[in-house]
Short mmCIF file of all heavy atoms in Angstrom, two decimals:
data_model
loop_
_atom_site.label_atom_id
_atom_site.label_comp_id
_atom_site.label_asym_id
_atom_site.label_seq_id
_atom_site.Cartn_x
_atom_site.Cartn_y
_atom_site.Cartn_z
N LEU A 17 23.72 70.88 -14.57
CA LEU A 17 23.73 69.45 -14.91
C LEU A 17 22.91 68.62 -13.92
O LEU A 17 22.25 67.65 -14.31
CB LEU A 17 25.17 68.93 -14.97
CG LEU A 17 25.99 69.42 -16.16
CD1 LEU A 17 27.43 68.95 -16.05
CD2 LEU A 17 25.37 68.98 -17.47
N THR A 18 22.90 69.00 -12.66
CA THR A 18 22.09 68.30 -11.67
C THR A 18 20.61 68.46 -11.97
O THR A 18 19.84 67.50 -11.91
CB THR A 18 22.42 68.81 -10.25
OG1 THR A 18 23.80 68.61 -10.00
CG2 THR A 18 21.58 68.10 -9.21
N ILE A 19 20.20 69.67 -12.31
CA ILE A 19 18.79 69.92 -12.65
C ILE A 19 18.39 69.13 -13.89
O ILE A 19 17.32 68.51 -13.94
CB ILE A 19 18.54 71.44 -12.82
CG1 ILE A 19 18.68 72.14 -11.48
CG2 ILE A 19 17.17 71.69 -13.45
CD1 ILE A 19 18.68 73.66 -11.56
N ILE A 20 19.26 69.10 -14.90
CA ILE A 20 18.98 68.33 -16.12
C ILE A 20 18.89 66.84 -15.80
O ILE A 20 17.99 66.15 -16.29
CB ILE A 20 20.06 68.62 -17.19
CG1 ILE A 20 19.91 70.05 -17.71
CG2 ILE A 20 19.95 67.62 -18.34
CD1 ILE A 20 21.05 70.49 -18.62
N ALA A 21 19.80 66.32 -14.98
CA ALA A 21 19.79 64.90 -14.63
C ALA A 21 18.52 64.52 -13.88
O ALA A 21 17.92 63.47 -14.14
CB ALA A 21 21.02 64.57 -13.79
N ILE A 22 18.08 65.37 -12.96
CA ILE A 22 16.84 65.10 -12.22
C ILE A 22 15.64 65.10 -13.16
O ILE A 22 14.78 64.21 -13.09
CB ILE A 22 16.67 66.11 -11.07
CG1 ILE A 22 17.73 65.86 -9.99
CG2 ILE A 22 15.26 66.04 -10.48
CD1 ILE A 22 17.80 66.94 -8.92
N ALA A 23 15.59 66.09 -14.06
CA ALA A 23 14.47 66.15 -15.02
C ALA A 23 14.46 64.93 -15.92
O ALA A 23 13.40 64.33 -16.16
CB ALA A 23 14.57 67.44 -15.85
N CYS A 24 15.62 64.52 -16.43
CA CYS A 24 15.69 63.33 -17.30
C CYS A 24 15.28 62.08 -16.54
O CYS A 24 14.58 61.21 -17.07
CB CYS A 24 17.09 63.17 -17.87
SG CYS A 24 17.51 64.41 -19.10
N GLY A 25 15.72 61.97 -15.30
CA GLY A 25 15.35 60.81 -14.48
C GLY A 25 13.86 60.72 -14.27
O GLY A 25 13.26 59.64 -14.33
N LEU A 26 13.23 61.87 -14.02
CA LEU A 26 11.78 61.89 -13.84
C LEU A 26 11.05 61.49 -15.13
O LEU A 26 10.08 60.72 -15.09
CB LEU A 26 11.32 63.27 -13.38
CG LEU A 26 11.69 63.64 -11.94
CD1 LEU A 26 11.35 65.10 -11.65
CD2 LEU A 26 10.98 62.71 -10.96
N VAL A 27 11.51 62.00 -16.27
CA VAL A 27 10.88 61.66 -17.55
C VAL A 27 11.01 60.16 -17.82
O VAL A 27 10.05 59.50 -18.20
CB VAL A 27 11.48 62.50 -18.70
CG1 VAL A 27 11.03 61.96 -20.05
CG2 VAL A 27 11.08 63.95 -18.56
N ILE A 28 12.20 59.61 -17.62
CA ILE A 28 12.41 58.18 -17.85
C ILE A 28 11.54 57.35 -16.91
O ILE A 28 10.95 56.34 -17.31
CB ILE A 28 13.90 57.83 -17.68
CG1 ILE A 28 14.70 58.42 -18.84
CG2 ILE A 28 14.11 56.32 -17.60
CD1 ILE A 28 16.21 58.32 -18.68
N GLY A 29 11.43 57.76 -15.66
CA GLY A 29 10.59 57.04 -14.70
C GLY A 29 9.13 57.05 -15.09
O GLY A 29 8.44 56.02 -15.00
N VAL A 30 8.62 58.18 -15.56
CA VAL A 30 7.22 58.27 -15.98
C VAL A 30 6.97 57.42 -17.22
O VAL A 30 5.98 56.68 -17.29
CB VAL A 30 6.83 59.75 -16.24
CG1 VAL A 30 5.48 59.85 -16.94
CG2 VAL A 30 6.80 60.52 -14.92
N VAL A 31 7.88 57.50 -18.19
CA VAL A 31 7.73 56.69 -19.41
C VAL A 31 7.75 55.21 -19.06
O VAL A 31 6.95 54.41 -19.57
CB VAL A 31 8.81 57.04 -20.45
CG1 VAL A 31 8.84 56.03 -21.58
CG2 VAL A 31 8.58 58.44 -20.99
N ASN A 32 8.65 54.79 -18.19
CA ASN A 32 8.72 53.38 -17.79
C ASN A 32 7.44 52.95 -17.08
O ASN A 32 6.94 51.86 -17.31
CB ASN A 32 9.94 53.15 -16.89
CG ASN A 32 10.07 51.69 -16.53
OD1 ASN A 32 10.13 50.83 -17.39
ND2 ASN A 32 10.12 51.41 -15.23
N ALA A 33 6.92 53.80 -16.20
CA ALA A 33 5.68 53.47 -15.48
C ALA A 33 4.51 53.28 -16.44
O ALA A 33 3.63 52.46 -16.20
CB ALA A 33 5.36 54.55 -14.46
N ILE A 34 4.52 54.01 -17.54
CA ILE A 34 3.44 53.90 -18.52
C ILE A 34 3.63 52.68 -19.41
O ILE A 34 2.69 51.94 -19.69
CB ILE A 34 3.35 55.19 -19.37
CG1 ILE A 34 2.90 56.36 -18.50
CG2 ILE A 34 2.42 55.00 -20.56
CD1 ILE A 34 3.03 57.72 -19.17
N THR A 35 4.85 52.43 -19.87
CA THR A 35 5.07 51.38 -20.87
C THR A 35 5.32 49.99 -20.28
O THR A 35 5.07 48.99 -20.96
CB THR A 35 6.26 51.73 -21.78
OG1 THR A 35 7.44 51.88 -20.99
CG2 THR A 35 5.98 53.00 -22.57
N ALA A 36 5.80 49.87 -19.05
CA ALA A 36 6.13 48.56 -18.48
C ALA A 36 4.93 47.61 -18.46
O ALA A 36 5.07 46.45 -18.87
CB ALA A 36 6.73 48.72 -17.09
N PRO A 37 3.75 48.02 -18.02
CA PRO A 37 2.61 47.09 -18.03
C PRO A 37 2.20 46.68 -19.45
O PRO A 37 1.78 45.55 -19.68
CB PRO A 37 1.49 47.87 -17.35
CG PRO A 37 2.12 49.02 -16.67
CD PRO A 37 3.41 49.28 -17.36
N ILE A 38 2.33 47.59 -20.39
CA ILE A 38 1.97 47.28 -21.78
C ILE A 38 2.94 46.25 -22.35
O ILE A 38 2.52 45.28 -22.99
CB ILE A 38 1.97 48.57 -22.63
CG1 ILE A 38 0.89 49.53 -22.14
CG2 ILE A 38 1.79 48.25 -24.11
CD1 ILE A 38 0.99 50.92 -22.70
N ILE A 39 4.22 46.43 -22.09
CA ILE A 39 5.23 45.49 -22.57
C ILE A 39 5.01 44.12 -21.94
O ILE A 39 5.07 43.09 -22.62
CB ILE A 39 6.65 46.02 -22.28
CG1 ILE A 39 6.92 47.26 -23.15
CG2 ILE A 39 7.70 44.95 -22.51
CD1 ILE A 39 8.18 48.02 -22.75
N GLU A 40 4.74 44.08 -20.65
CA GLU A 40 4.50 42.81 -19.96
C GLU A 40 3.27 42.10 -20.53
O GLU A 40 3.29 40.89 -20.75
CB GLU A 40 4.33 43.04 -18.46
CG GLU A 40 4.15 41.76 -17.68
CD GLU A 40 4.00 42.00 -16.18
OE1 GLU A 40 4.15 43.15 -15.73
OE2 GLU A 40 3.71 41.03 -15.48
N ALA A 41 2.19 42.83 -20.77
CA ALA A 41 0.98 42.23 -21.35
C ALA A 41 1.25 41.69 -22.74
O ALA A 41 0.76 40.60 -23.10
CB ALA A 41 -0.14 43.27 -21.39
N ASN A 42 2.03 42.40 -23.54
CA ASN A 42 2.37 41.91 -24.89
C ASN A 42 3.22 40.65 -24.83
O ASN A 42 3.03 39.73 -25.63
CB ASN A 42 3.09 43.00 -25.68
CG ASN A 42 2.17 44.12 -26.09
OD1 ASN A 42 0.95 43.99 -26.10
ND2 ASN A 42 2.76 45.26 -26.42
N GLU A 43 4.15 40.58 -23.88
CA GLU A 43 4.97 39.38 -23.74
C GLU A 43 4.14 38.18 -23.30
O GLU A 43 4.33 37.07 -23.80
CB GLU A 43 6.11 39.63 -22.74
CG GLU A 43 7.19 40.54 -23.28
CD GLU A 43 8.26 40.87 -22.25
OE1 GLU A 43 8.12 40.48 -21.07
OE2 GLU A 43 9.24 41.53 -22.64
N ILE A 44 3.21 38.39 -22.39
CA ILE A 44 2.33 37.30 -21.95
C ILE A 44 1.45 36.83 -23.10
O ILE A 44 1.26 35.63 -23.31
CB ILE A 44 1.48 37.75 -20.74
CG1 ILE A 44 2.37 37.90 -19.51
CG2 ILE A 44 0.35 36.77 -20.46
CD1 ILE A 44 1.69 38.56 -18.32
#
Side-chain angles (χ1 to χ4, degrees):
L17 289 175
T18 301
I19 292 170
I20 290 171
I22 291 170
C24 289
L26 289 173
V27 169
I28 290 171
V30 169
V31 169
N32 183 55
I34 293 169
T35 60
I38 296 168
I39 292 169
E40 183 179 353
N42 288 342
E43 288 175 355
I44 290 170

